[in-house]
Amino acid sequence: MEFDGTVSIADVTSEEVWLALSDPVMIKQSLPGCQFLVAVDDEEVDFDELDESSTDEDPETLPAADPEAIAERAFVDGGRYAALMQISVGSVEPSFETVVTIEEREFPRMDASGEGSAASSSFEMASGMELVETDDGVEIEWWAEADVFGRVAQMGQRVINPVANRVVGRFFDRIEDELRDVQTDEPSGLRDRVSGLF
Amino acid sequence: MATDESPQEPRPEGVETVAAEDVDAADILGSAVERREDPSLLTGDAEYTDDIQLPEMAHVAILRSQYAHARIDGIDTDAAEGMDGVVDIYTADDLDVSGNVPTAWELDTLREVDHPLLAEERVRYQGDAIAVVVAEERYQAHDALDAIDVDYERLDAVTDPTEALDEDAPVLHEEAGENTAFEWEIGDAEATDEAFAEAGTVVDLDVTNQLLIPNAMEPRAAVADYDPGDDELTVHMASQNPHVHRLLMSGVLDHPEHKLRIRAPDVGGGFGSKIHHYPDEALAAWTAKRLERPVKWQATRTETYLTDAQGRGHETHGEIAIDDDGNIRGLRIDTKANLGAYLSTFAPAVPTYLYGTLMSGQYEIPAIHCEVTGAYSNVPPVDAYRGAGRPEASYIVERLVNRAADAVDADPAEFRRQNFVDPDDFPYETPVAVEYDSGDYEKPLDKALDLVGYEGFRERQAEAREEGRYLGIGLSCYIEACGLAPSELVGALGARAGLWESGLVRFTPTGTVTAACGTSGHGQGHDTTYAQIVANELGVDYEDVDVKEGDTADLPQGMGTYGSRSAAVGGSALVKGAREVVEKAKRIAAHQLEAATEDIEFDDGDFHVAGAPDRSMGIQEVALEAYLAHDLPDDVDPGLEATAFYDPDNFVFPFGTHVAVVEVDPETGEIDFENYVAVDDVGNQINPKIVEGQIHGGIAQGIGQALYEGAEYDDNGQLTTGSMQDYAVPKSSHIPEMETDSTTTPSPVNPLGVKGVGEAGTIAAPQAVVNAVVDALEPFGVEHIEMPLTNERVWRAVDERAGATGGDD
């Protein structure tokens, strides 16, 4: 299955969008159904342990967070991240134990691959995005190719496409909301500090 | 109600049913008696497998692979075992039986592969069984499935037979080394090459005969019960052939055949899908034995989609050679047949002996060669589905014949007529190893052309085209083979069983009759038709005959219901049994009437002394004497019953002509039926209403294949048409009104003169529809469209041709 789209966000710089989309905490908070999203080192990921050790308390994100702290925890090229994603699809609500690998990350482009498995379903995906500066803001061009297996796959594109669109739509809506806060946070000089990072 | 002035065309008149009490005993055979099974089916009184409740019964659910192809590195059942109500969980390691699901047909080149009850290290299709959960309640068993953690290593999948045969394709069975399951041929390659070399015209065509999902109304099910006291294992299951299931399952479970009882209660359809031995019912039986506790397994509709053996699945290149006089000289067929992940019960026979042997159609074709390569692929096992090989054969033959007629500028009806086997040439031996029993092919053709108004059609078609309306007519002159036999022949062809049938006819002392047959009806109305046959033979009242089927405890042996064999083989076994009963009764009657047996005549249920009609005795009175045994001839034992085994001399070959008339909208790809006419010759008819119903249902399924149905898989072998929302089983509104009629050419093969009717519609209909649509789109240069002819495919076919020719003006 292939999905793609372009999201426009007005009055932001590509550096701000880049920083936001590089922040695992921001991503976790913006992705509907995401229980945790953490960097992992081990080949075998113990999701039960991660689930137990995850807390509801997240570090601060933009605009409150220190951009340098975000840069510190940002996705790294070749990094692996574990996430637990609960998504309701039709009559089922599988929790996907997902491992994402950042395949390539070089401003303004990032590619990632991922695999998720739940009790009766699983998926494999490759995805990417590129930021394009426009006259009044930034366009995020994104794409994803997903292979879906098992019970969810059986529901067919008729069911999966709206779910995928809903997840992606809400994700970018929240990112946009967060970035709006960045713009209104002018007095702190955040924008300058973000651009200073690049 | 009486004032209803519907502007619609009146419905074609069908056969009128009659109540049994209104039929004279002498006329019972051949009358459209109301089906006696219907009241129980219609009122919900019928007992299906899932209706069976046994004390202390537990429920089985089966974990199935989510991947079409994967290695299994581990299965963790710990979490599931701790769940509420879970009794036990089993994986392949727990099975203590041979557990290899066999195929019942061999071929010289067949690469047989293991088919374990539960996957060991590999899964080969989405739906392959991995583990069994037993729980107190059904929902608990299903909930626990989700808590089993399977460590998969996904492998590449292949679902298309041609791609599966490519040397770079992922190999499913390492022990086979490749995906080629067999290479088979029939006919004379050399003679065919010569015929093509000499032919004035050669036409070829590539067709896909798509995979179909059977979709019986009732999903498969089993209730198993084990009595450790006497080692009796009873399995109630949705089966088309309980005795065949008993034979195969006794081997799979290492359980003695005489201690295994298979009983099919009411069964909600099968269309072939309930012939085969699947792992699931055997797993339920094994579980009941292991736990010494009854268990029930009821497939969900999703499991039906994922695991029922599918039908068709051919990719074929066909060529036909015609001489300058318009005579067919040769036919060459090369087919890649999808067998799915494992060899199902009759899988090797379906694309070979049930396919290649039908390539002569209704025609005299001097040279035929057909080769078939069977391919393993990551789809569920493919096996017999209503028609089984014969629809695939009839489709390619009738599409090629239609194109051949076009190529030589002949009228498609006249081209067929010219090439028909002459009625005087029967029995007719074809170049593909079969001998047609009887036939008169012009009769149904003429009747069908008359009913459809063929004479004026081309004119109407031309006028409609002027108005921008596209009408098309499609013919299908099909041949079918039913009642595969005799056993000696099918043994030589590779069957690991005989294909006879057994029938028991037993009088009670009060004169009523039990008739039991080794076939197993599942909607066909056998209770009615068999009672008609037996009542007619014995001359007793139809109501006095009770029919039993579907229980290995009722009848010693049987081969089951498939391949339209029940009337021709099962019905004939009952005739044979009834005649043996009459012979014995005659000796008793002679003794009682103080006459020589040779002087006793039997008609309409009465024995009388020749020349002295007053000295007579009814067969029901004789039955009482047989059981009283107070005054029997010295050499006659008490009782009045017979169990006969009947092994036919040959197959029977029904035939007919179906004609579809459609209007196609090239702008939208929509297809509307203007008419559908079916004239079938199924030999003598036992019950014309049941014949009509079988024809109607078969055509509906055939139109389903032509226009709507098709199992589709993505690149990973995931079924993307896994529900009735995604796989279009036709609704009644999708099916046109049909006009059905028949001709009668009795079969000389069996005592009833019957042929077989269960599959005629699915064999005949697809090419009638496709030929009609292609005919309608002739002005656009459309030569072929693959089934199912969805609106999109039709539109694309028009659009592509329009693009190729720079517009359709």
Side-chain angles (χ1 to χ4, degrees):
Chain A
M1 260 168 246
E2 293 179 15
F3 308 91
D4 55 49
T6 302
V7 177
S8 302
I9 304 181
D11 302 324
V12 287
T13 67
S14 51
E15 288 84 356
E16 286 158 359
V17 176
W18 180 254
L19 195 62
L21 293 176
S22 298
D23 179 3
V25 179
M26 174 82 92
I27 301 293
K28 182 245 164 183
Q29 290 175 349
S30 303
L31 261 181
C34 183
Q35 312 291 315
F36 58 79
L37 174 61
V38 292
V40 288
D41 298 325
D42 300 341
E43 189 59 34
E44 290 289 316
V45 181
D46 187 337
F47 279 87
D48 293 338
E49 195 184 298
L50 290 176
D51 197 19
E52 274 168 33
S53 61
S54 78
T55 56
D56 289 338
E57 300 268 312
D58 286 327
E60 289 174 322
T61 56
L62 288 177
D66 177 355
E68 286 183 27
I70 297 175
E72 190 99 333
R73 71 192 184 215
F75 292 125
V76 293
D77 214 341
R80 292 173 74 239
Y81 300 83
L84 188 66
M85 297 273 302
Q86 192 172 44
I87 303 174
S88 85
V89 188
S91 59
V92 296
E93 197 167 29
S95 284
F96 287 99
E97 297 179 345
T98 308
V99 176
V100 177
T101 304
I102 305 297
E103 300 289 350
E104 196 190 337
R105 180 173 179 270
E106 195 171 342
F107 179 81
R109 188 184 157 89
M110 183 154 56
D111 288 346
S113 66
E115 285 183 17
S117 69
S120 56
S121 308
S122 58
F123 69 84
E124 296 172 7
M125 69 182 285
S127 61
M129 60 145 204
E130 187 163 0
L131 307 182
V132 180
E133 199 118 10
T134 59
D135 291 345
D136 59 348
V138 172
E139 280 185 349
I140 307 164
E141 290 174 357
W142 65 273
W143 58 271
E145 273 177 32
D147 288 319
V148 186
F149 305 91
R151 193 178 295 165
V152 167
Q154 261 204 308
M155 295 181 186
Q157 295 210 0
R158 185 174 43 77
V159 173
I160 296 173
N161 283 355
V163 172
N165 288 333
R166 191 180 69 215
V167 170
V168 171
R170 285 191 192 164
F171 172 74
F172 283 115
D173 282 351
R174 286 191 203 169
I175 294 285
E176 199 178 343
D177 286 349
E178 299 291 332
L179 287 171
R180 193 167 300 125
D181 294 341
V182 175
Q183 301 152 26
T184 54
D185 205 32
E186 229 24 82
S188 68
L190 183 66
R191 175 157 281 183
D192 294 339
R193 286 192 287 137
V194 169
S195 61
L197 280 172
F198 284 80
Chain B
M1 302 293 271
T3 58
D4 181 13
E5 286 177 49
S6 163
Q8 290 178 340
E9 294 272 314
R11 297 172 70 91
E13 277 175 40
V15 176
E16 288 277 336
T17 53
V18 287
E21 59 265 29
D22 296 336
V23 183
D24 271 358
D27 299 331
I28 193 74
L29 191 69
S31 74
V33 186
E34 290 168 349
R35 282 168 35 122
R36 57 165 63 173
E37 40 275 273
D38 285 346
S40 111
L41 295 172
L42 293 172
T43 58
D45 203 32
E47 181 200 48
Y48 295 95
T49 302
D50 197 27
D51 293 324
I52 297 170
Q53 301 295 346
L54 299 179
E56 302 296 312
M57 187 169 71
H59 294 266
V60 161
I62 296 172
L63 178 69
R64 302 190 179 280
S65 172
Q66 56 172 289
Y67 295 110
H69 200 189
R71 216 175 57 222
I72 295 181
D73 292 336
I75 305 170
D76 182 354
T77 59
D78 287 352
E81 275 162 20
M83 289 174 68
D84 278 354
V86 171
V87 176
D88 214 343
I89 297 178
Y90 308 116
T91 63
D93 289 344
D94 299 303
L95 295 176
D96 52 2
V97 292
S98 67
N100 193 47
V101 179
T103 184
W105 202 286
E106 59 195 316
L107 300 170
D108 290 345
T109 61
L110 188 64
R111 286 188 179 86
E112 282 193 68
V113 293
D114 285 344
H115 184 187
L117 288 178
L118 289 172
E120 287 154 4
E121 286 153 4
R122 270 269 190 115
V123 280
R124 296 183 176 86
Y125 68 97
Q126 184 195 11
D128 215 348
I130 295 173
V132 171
V133 175
V134 195
E136 298 295 340
E137 300 293 340
R138 190 182 295 180
Y139 76 90
Q140 292 169 331
H142 281 270
D143 282 354
L145 294 181
D146 284 353
I148 299 175
D149 191 7
V150 181
D151 186 4
Y152 295 101
E153 180 66 39
R154 186 170 77 78
L155 302 170
D156 285 344
V158 61
T159 59
D160 171 283
T162 304
E163 287 170 18
L165 294 169
D166 192 282
E167 60 182 32
D168 297 331
V171 173
L172 272 78
H173 296 276
E174 273 154 6
E175 76 264 32
E178 54 180 292
N179 293 328
T180 305
F182 63 77
E183 285 163 311
W184 178 90
E185 60 174 335
I186 197 165
D188 188 333
E190 208 172 306
T192 306
D193 288 347
E194 279 170 29
F196 274 82
E198 290 164 10
T201 307
V202 171
V203 181
D204 73 334
L205 184 65
D206 288 301
V207 301
T208 296
N209 207 295
Q210 79 271 33
L211 276 175
L212 300 177
I213 294 173
N215 264 311
M217 186 91 82
E218 179 207 18
R220 288 186 293 120
V223 169
D225 191 12
Y226 178 66
D227 182 345
D230 57 8
D231 198 29
E232 289 277 357
L233 180 59
T234 301
V235 185
H236 310 264
M237 60 183 274
S239 169
Q240 295 181 219
N241 33 232
H243 292 87
V244 173
H245 275 128
R246 179 175 66 170
L247 175 68
L248 297 175
M249 200 184 287
S250 73
V252 171
L253 297 182
D254 301 330
H255 192 86
E257 192 183 358
H258 67 300
K259 293 283 190 185
L260 180 59
R261 174 186 173 200
I262 306 285
R263 174 179 171 263
D266 284 309
V267 175
F271 310 121
S273 68
K274 292 169 183 169
I275 299 170
H276 326 306
H277 186 294
Y278 298 86
D280 315 301
E281 292 85 350
L283 286 167
W286 179 85
T287 301
K289 195 173 165 183
R290 164 99 168 208
L291 292 174
E292 297 187 359
R293 183 177 171 183
V295 300
K296 179 186 285 183
W297 168 73
Q298 171 64 63
T300 60
R301 180 61 59 183
T302 299
E303 285 180 294
T304 293
Y305 272 89
L306 290 177
T307 68
D308 278 9
Q310 301 186 352
R312 322 287 188 252
H314 285 200
E315 287 179 5
T316 295
H317 179 71
E319 296 168 274
I320 189 166
I322 313 108
D323 69 16
D324 295 338
D325 299 323
N327 297 312
I328 304 173
R329 304 304 303 167
L331 189 76
R332 192 153 50 199
I333 304 292
D334 181 4
T335 293
K336 313 284 182 253
N338 199 342
L339 298 181
Y342 302 98
L343 277 182
S344 180
T345 308
F346 286 112
V350 174
T352 54
Y353 290 107
L354 294 178
Y355 173 67
T357 53
L358 274 294
M359 286 301 167
S360 201
Q362 296 189 355
Y363 312 104
E364 195 181 326
I365 306 177
I368 300 176
H369 184 246
C370 170
E371 58 188 310
V372 183
T373 310
Y376 292 115
S377 82
N378 298 107
V379 303
V382 179
D383 203 329
Y385 167 63
R386 199 172 189 178
R390 291 150 292 168
E392 296 92 310
S394 196
Y395 183 67
I396 184 66
V397 169
E398 286 299 282
R399 286 289 296 123
L400 280 172
V401 164
N402 226 53
R403 284 171 64 88
D406 266 1
V408 298
D409 261 334
D411 174 89
E414 293 316 306
F415 180 79
R416 285 171 166 87
R417 187 193 305 279
Q418 178 184 340
N419 284 283
F420 278 163
V421 175
D422 192 274
D424 297 332
D425 290 345
F426 290 90
Y428 174 76
E429 197 158 331
T430 72
V432 276
V434 293
E435 187 184 271
Y436 293 166
D437 58 338
S438 61
D440 195 344
Y441 301 145
E442 285 194 58
K443 282 185 179 162
L445 174 70
D446 286 336
K447 209 168 198 174
L449 295 180
D450 185 44
L451 282 171
V452 84
Y454 191 70
E455 203 163 305
F457 178 79
R458 292 297 171 195
E459 208 171 306
R460 278 206 303 126
Q461 184 181 43
E463 284 168 12
R465 281 180 186 170
E466 295 285 310
E467 299 166 18
R469 291 170 50 234
Y470 296 90
L471 300 181
I473 195 163
L475 271 69
S476 165
C477 297
Y478 74 96
I479 187 98
E480 162 172 24
C482 314
L484 203 57
S487 298
E488 187 183 349
L489 171 71
V490 297
L493 302 184
R496 289 168 170 163
L499 282 170
W500 41 262
E501 199 44 80
S502 130
L504 173 151
V505 176
R506 174 186 289 152
F507 269 100
T508 62
T510 55
T512 57
V513 178
T514 296
C517 191
T519 51
S520 194
H522 42 283
Q524 294 88 343
H526 291 176
D527 285 4
T528 303
T529 47
Y530 285 169
Q532 289 179 269
I533 291 169
V534 172
N536 177 66
E537 286 294 326
L538 299 177
V540 300
D541 224 12
Y542 165 82
E543 301 290 2
D544 282 344
V545 181
D546 185 47
V547 173
K548 290 194 186 302
E549 265 189 315
D551 189 342
T552 58
D554 278 337
L555 194 76
Q557 291 300 335
M559 291 307 299
T561 288
Y562 41 81
S564 304
R565 69 190 299 275
S566 296
V569 193
S572 297
L574 287 170
V575 168
K576 197 175 171 194
R579 288 181 184 174
E580 287 174 18
V581 163
V582 169
E583 278 315 300
K584 181 174 179 181
K586 185 186 270 185
R587 290 166 68 197
I588 297 171
H591 178 78
Q592 298 261 332
L593 296 169
E594 297 175 337
T597 308
E598 309 80 74
D599 294 337
I600 299 293
E601 289 173 350
F602 179 67
D603 28 49
D604 293 343
D606 283 321
F607 294 101
H608 53 84
V609 181
D614 291 351
R615 285 172 65 199
S616 74
M617 192 174 178
I619 192 167
Q620 287 169 311
E621 284 173 75
V622 175
L624 180 61
E625 291 298 334
Y627 286 99
L628 287 174
H630 294 165
D631 186 18
L632 296 181
D634 289 343
D635 55 349
V636 173
D637 294 330
L640 191 55
E641 66 171 78
T643 299
F645 281 75
Y646 172 76
D647 196 5
D649 296 333
N650 189 4
F651 309 5
V652 288
F653 294 87
F655 55 91
T657 293
H658 287 210
V659 188
V661 181
V662 299
E663 178 170 344
V664 183
D665 184 339
E667 302 282 324
T668 62
E670 281 171 288
I671 298 164
D672 279 331
F673 283 91
E674 188 183 86
N675 203 352
Y676 192 102
V677 167
V679 180
D680 297 275
D681 193 320
V682 298
N684 291 335
Q685 299 188 8
I686 299 162
N687 184 321
K689 189 69 192 175
I690 287 178
V691 167
E692 183 189 61
Q694 286 286 348
I695 295 289
H696 282 175
I699 292 170
Q701 265 174 311
I703 288 174
Q705 170 164 28
L707 300 187
Y708 304 107
E709 299 184 41
E712 290 183 19
Y713 295 86
D714 70 10
D715 291 343
N716 301 310
Q718 295 282 311
L719 180 66
T720 58
T721 53
S723 78
M724 286 201 183
Q725 282 177 299
D726 303 288
Y727 181 98
V729 178
K731 300 181 172 76
S732 61
S733 60
H734 291 125
I735 303 302
E737 296 292 345
M738 305 166 195
E739 226 173 315
T740 57
D741 205 334
S742 58
T743 60
T744 303
T745 307
S747 171
V749 169
N750 59 64
L752 289 163
V754 297
K755 292 199 165 191
V757 67
E759 298 157 295
T762 53
I763 293 169
Q767 59 272 12
V769 176
V770 176
N771 284 341
V773 172
V774 171
D775 182 51
L777 297 177
E778 187 265 334
F780 300 93
V782 172
E783 292 180 337
H784 182 66
I785 309 175
E786 295 283 21
M787 299 186 292
L789 307 184
T790 57
N791 296 352
E792 181 182 339
R793 283 190 180 172
V794 172
W795 178 84
R796 281 189 190 284
V798 172
D799 193 57
E800 277 164 21
R801 299 302 299 189
T805 57
D808 62 63
D809 300 320

